[in-house]
Amino acid sequence: MSYSGLLSIGEVNQLDLDQFIWLFGNVLEQNTEAAKYVFNNKPFKNALHIIKLFNKYLDTLSIQEQEKVLQQHPDLGSNVKMTPESTREQDGAGMNNLTENDRELLMEFNYRYKEHFGFPFVICARENNSDSVLENVKKRLENDKETELKLSIEEVKKIARLRILDLVWHS
Protein backbone atom coordinates (compact mmCIF):
# COMPACT_ATOMS: atom_id res chain seq x y z
CA MET A 1 0.00 0.00 0.00
CA SER A 2 1.20 3.50 -0.80
CA TYR A 3 0.91 6.08 1.95
CA SER A 4 1.47 9.15 -0.17
CA GLY A 5 -1.94 10.64 0.66
CA LEU A 6 -2.80 12.40 3.90
CA LEU A 7 -5.53 10.08 5.16
CA SER A 8 -6.40 6.40 5.11
CA ILE A 9 -9.74 5.43 3.61
CA GLY A 10 -10.95 4.62 7.12
CA GLU A 11 -10.15 8.15 8.23
CA VAL A 12 -11.89 9.58 5.18
CA ASN A 13 -15.00 7.53 5.95
CA GLN A 14 -15.05 8.99 9.49
CA LEU A 15 -15.11 12.61 8.29
CA ASP A 16 -18.30 14.57 8.78
CA LEU A 17 -19.69 16.63 5.89
CA ASP A 18 -17.96 19.88 6.86
CA GLN A 19 -14.59 18.16 7.23
CA PHE A 20 -15.06 16.34 3.95
CA ILE A 21 -15.93 19.55 2.12
CA TRP A 22 -12.95 21.31 3.70
CA LEU A 23 -10.61 18.60 2.38
CA PHE A 24 -12.29 17.65 -0.91
CA GLY A 25 -14.11 20.86 -1.84
CA ASN A 26 -11.41 21.83 -4.30
CA VAL A 27 -10.88 18.47 -5.98
CA LEU A 28 -12.96 20.02 -8.75
CA GLU A 29 -11.85 23.64 -8.75
CA GLN A 30 -13.95 25.52 -6.16
CA ASN A 31 -16.82 23.01 -6.37
CA THR A 32 -18.25 22.04 -3.01
CA GLU A 33 -21.36 20.58 -4.70
CA ALA A 34 -19.21 17.81 -6.14
CA ALA A 35 -17.79 17.09 -2.68
CA LYS A 36 -21.31 16.91 -1.22
CA TYR A 37 -22.36 14.52 -3.98
CA VAL A 38 -19.39 12.26 -3.31
CA PHE A 39 -19.84 12.45 0.49
CA ASN A 40 -23.42 11.18 0.12
CA ASN A 41 -22.06 7.96 -1.41
CA LYS A 42 -20.10 6.87 1.68
CA PRO A 43 -18.65 4.52 2.75
CA PHE A 44 -15.76 4.57 0.33
CA LYS A 45 -13.85 1.41 -0.55
CA ASN A 46 -10.60 3.12 -1.51
CA ALA A 47 -9.17 6.16 -3.29
CA LEU A 48 -10.21 4.74 -6.66
CA HIS A 49 -13.83 4.62 -5.47
CA ILE A 50 -13.67 8.33 -4.60
CA ILE A 51 -12.14 9.10 -8.01
CA LYS A 52 -14.93 7.20 -9.76
CA LEU A 53 -17.56 9.14 -7.79
CA PHE A 54 -16.09 12.51 -8.75
CA ASN A 55 -15.97 11.33 -12.39
CA LYS A 56 -19.58 10.17 -12.17
CA TYR A 57 -20.56 13.59 -10.83
CA LEU A 58 -18.93 15.26 -13.84
CA ASP A 59 -20.54 12.83 -16.27
CA THR A 60 -24.04 13.48 -14.90
CA LEU A 61 -23.83 17.25 -15.36
CA SER A 62 -25.54 19.02 -18.22
CA ILE A 63 -23.37 20.73 -20.83
CA GLN A 64 -24.06 24.09 -19.19
CA GLU A 65 -23.09 22.73 -15.77
CA GLN A 66 -19.89 21.23 -17.20
CA GLU A 67 -19.04 24.60 -18.69
CA LYS A 68 -19.52 26.18 -15.24
CA VAL A 69 -17.05 23.66 -13.81
CA LEU A 70 -14.54 24.66 -16.48
CA GLN A 71 -15.13 28.36 -15.87
CA GLN A 72 -13.87 27.93 -12.29
CA HIS A 73 -10.38 27.15 -13.57
CA PRO A 74 -7.81 29.95 -13.77
CA ASP A 75 -6.05 30.83 -16.98
CA LEU A 76 -2.75 28.99 -17.17
CA GLY A 77 0.22 31.25 -16.61
CA SER A 78 -1.89 34.16 -15.39
CA ASN A 79 -1.21 36.22 -12.30
CA VAL A 80 -4.74 35.93 -10.93
CA LYS A 81 -5.24 34.69 -7.38
CA MET A 82 -5.47 30.91 -7.57
CA THR A 83 -6.32 28.15 -5.17
CA PRO A 84 -3.31 26.56 -3.44
CA GLU A 85 -3.78 23.43 -5.57
CA SER A 86 -3.74 25.35 -8.86
CA THR A 87 -0.75 27.40 -7.75
CA ARG A 88 1.28 24.24 -6.93
CA GLU A 89 0.23 22.53 -10.15
CA GLN A 90 1.09 25.49 -12.37
CA ASP A 91 4.39 26.03 -10.54
CA GLY A 92 5.26 22.38 -11.09
CA ALA A 93 4.62 22.71 -14.82
CA GLY A 94 6.85 25.80 -15.03
CA MET A 95 3.98 28.13 -15.88
CA ASN A 96 5.37 30.84 -13.59
CA ASN A 97 8.82 30.67 -15.19
CA LEU A 98 7.83 31.41 -18.78
CA THR A 99 9.92 33.73 -20.88
CA GLU A 100 8.27 37.06 -21.62
CA ASN A 101 7.60 35.95 -25.22
CA ASP A 102 6.05 32.64 -24.11
CA ARG A 103 3.93 34.41 -21.47
CA GLU A 104 2.60 36.84 -24.08
CA LEU A 105 1.91 33.97 -26.48
CA LEU A 106 0.09 32.00 -23.77
CA MET A 107 -1.99 35.05 -22.79
CA GLU A 108 -2.94 35.50 -26.45
CA PHE A 109 -3.88 31.81 -26.76
CA ASN A 110 -5.83 31.95 -23.48
CA TYR A 111 -7.78 34.96 -24.74
CA ARG A 112 -8.53 33.39 -28.14
CA TYR A 113 -9.49 30.09 -26.51
CA LYS A 114 -11.89 31.70 -24.04
CA GLU A 115 -13.44 33.84 -26.79
CA HIS A 116 -13.90 30.78 -29.01
CA PHE A 117 -15.20 28.27 -26.44
CA GLY A 118 -16.59 30.38 -23.58
CA PHE A 119 -14.45 28.76 -20.88
CA PRO A 120 -10.73 28.76 -20.04
CA PHE A 121 -8.24 26.32 -21.50
CA VAL A 122 -7.92 23.42 -19.05
CA ILE A 123 -5.12 20.88 -19.08
CA CYS A 124 -3.64 18.77 -16.31
CA ALA A 125 -0.56 20.87 -15.59
CA ARG A 126 1.02 18.11 -13.50
CA GLU A 127 1.13 15.89 -16.58
CA ASN A 128 2.62 18.64 -18.76
CA ASN A 129 5.27 21.33 -18.91
CA SER A 130 5.17 24.86 -20.28
CA ASP A 131 6.15 23.74 -23.80
CA SER A 132 3.46 21.07 -24.02
CA VAL A 133 0.86 23.46 -22.61
CA LEU A 134 1.63 25.96 -25.39
CA GLU A 135 1.53 23.20 -28.02
CA ASN A 136 -1.78 21.85 -26.70
CA VAL A 137 -3.61 25.16 -26.44
CA LYS A 138 -2.59 26.05 -30.01
CA LYS A 139 -3.70 22.64 -31.30
CA ARG A 140 -6.95 22.55 -29.33
CA LEU A 141 -8.01 25.96 -30.64
CA GLU A 142 -8.78 24.10 -33.89
CA ASN A 143 -11.41 21.85 -32.23
CA ASP A 144 -15.14 22.36 -32.33
CA LYS A 145 -16.84 23.24 -29.05
CA GLU A 146 -18.32 19.78 -28.43
CA THR A 147 -14.94 18.08 -28.85
CA GLU A 148 -13.22 20.66 -26.70
CA LEU A 149 -15.79 20.38 -23.91
CA LYS A 150 -15.23 16.62 -23.77
CA LEU A 151 -11.44 16.99 -23.80
CA SER A 152 -11.56 19.66 -21.12
CA ILE A 153 -13.76 17.55 -18.82
CA GLU A 154 -11.33 14.65 -19.26
CA GLU A 155 -8.51 16.99 -18.20
CA VAL A 156 -10.55 18.00 -15.14
CA LYS A 157 -10.86 14.29 -14.29
CA LYS A 158 -7.06 13.92 -14.49
CA ILE A 159 -6.61 16.92 -12.20
CA ALA A 160 -9.20 15.55 -9.76
CA ARG A 161 -7.57 12.11 -9.72
CA LEU A 162 -4.19 13.54 -8.76
CA ARG A 163 -5.71 15.81 -6.12
CA ILE A 164 -7.56 12.85 -4.58
CA LEU A 165 -4.38 10.76 -4.56
CA ASP A 166 -2.69 13.62 -2.71
CA LEU A 167 -5.39 13.34 -0.04
CA VAL A 168 -6.08 9.61 0.31
CA TRP A 169 -3.69 6.70 0.81
CA HIS A 170 -3.78 4.43 -2.19
CA SER A 171 -2.30 1.19 -3.40
Side-chain angles (χ1 to χ4, degrees), residues 76-77 89-103 105-106 109 121 123-140:
L76 287 166
E89 291 159 356
Q90 288 200 32
D91 284 348
M95 301 311 300
N96 296 322
N97 297 320
L98 295 170
T99 65
E100 189 58 35
N101 286 343
D102 283 348
R103 181 170 307 286
L105 184 60
L106 182 58
F109 284 148
F121 173 70
I123 192 166
C124 182
R126 286 167 70 177
E127 293 183 353
N128 288 277
N129 60 39
S130 57
D131 290 336
S132 63
V133 167
L134 284 167
E135 289 171 27
N136 274 281
V137 68
K138 183 178 179 182
K139 179 181 171 187
R140 286 172 52 185

Side-chain angles (χ1 to χ4, degrees), residues 15 35 57 71 79 114 136 164:
L15 297 173
Y57 172 84
Q71 289 164 352
N79 292 326
K114 208 181 277 187
N136 274 281
I164 292 164

Side-chain angles (χ1 to χ4, degrees), residues 106-161:
L106 182 58
M107 293 302 108
E108 178 188 335
F109 284 148
N110 280 337
Y111 175 80
R112 288 177 41 205
Y113 185 96
K114 208 181 277 187
E115 284 291 307
H116 186 62
F117 297 113
F119 48 83
F121 173 70
V122 176
I123 192 166
C124 182
R126 286 167 70 177
E127 293 183 353
N128 288 277
N129 60 39
S130 57
D131 290 336
S132 63
V133 167
L134 284 167
E135 289 171 27
N136 274 281
V137 68
K138 183 178 179 182
K139 179 181 171 187
R140 286 172 52 185
L141 271 165
E142 298 173 15
N143 290 335
D144 61 73
K145 187 169 182 175
E146 182 181 346
T147 300
E148 195 52 32
L149 180 65
K150 288 178 185 176
L151 284 171
S152 296
I153 291 298
E154 289 305 311
E155 292 297 317
V156 169
K157 289 178 182 180
K158 292 176 187 178
I159 295 165
R161 179 183 152 276

Side-chain angles (χ1 to χ4, degrees), residues 57-71:
Y57 172 84
L58 284 167
D59 291 339
T60 61
L61 296 177
S62 70
I63 289 172
Q64 293 79 17
E65 291 168 325
Q66 287 180 340
E67 287 180 10
K68 286 180 185 176
V69 167
L70 297 173
Q71 289 164 352

Side-chain angles (χ1 to χ4, degrees), residues 15-22 35-37 39-40 42:
L15 297 173
D16 66 28
L17 178 60
D18 289 338
Q19 293 167 324
F20 190 85
I21 289 172
W22 184 80
K36 289 177 190 173
Y37 170 87
F39 179 85
N40 288 327
K42 281 175 42 174

Side-chain angles (χ1 to χ4, degrees), residues 31-96:
N31 191 320
T32 58
E33 288 305 310
K36 289 177 190 173
Y37 170 87
V38 171
F39 179 85
N40 288 327
N41 286 279
K42 281 175 42 174
F44 309 116
K45 298 174 193 155
N46 50 36
L48 181 59
H49 185 208
I50 296 172
I51 292 166
K52 286 181 179 181
L53 289 167
F54 272 98
N55 288 349
K56 183 178 178 184
Y57 172 84
L58 284 167
D59 291 339
T60 61
L61 296 177
S62 70
I63 289 172
Q64 293 79 17
E65 291 168 325
Q66 287 180 340
E67 287 180 10
K68 286 180 185 176
V69 167
L70 297 173
Q71 289 164 352
Q72 293 302 312
H73 284 263
D75 287 339
L76 287 166
S78 70
N79 292 326
V80 299
K81 182 166 172 45
M82 293 183 273
T83 63
E85 294 87 350
S86 288
T87 300
R88 275 192 310 276
E89 291 159 356
Q90 288 200 32
D91 284 348
M95 301 311 300
N96 296 322

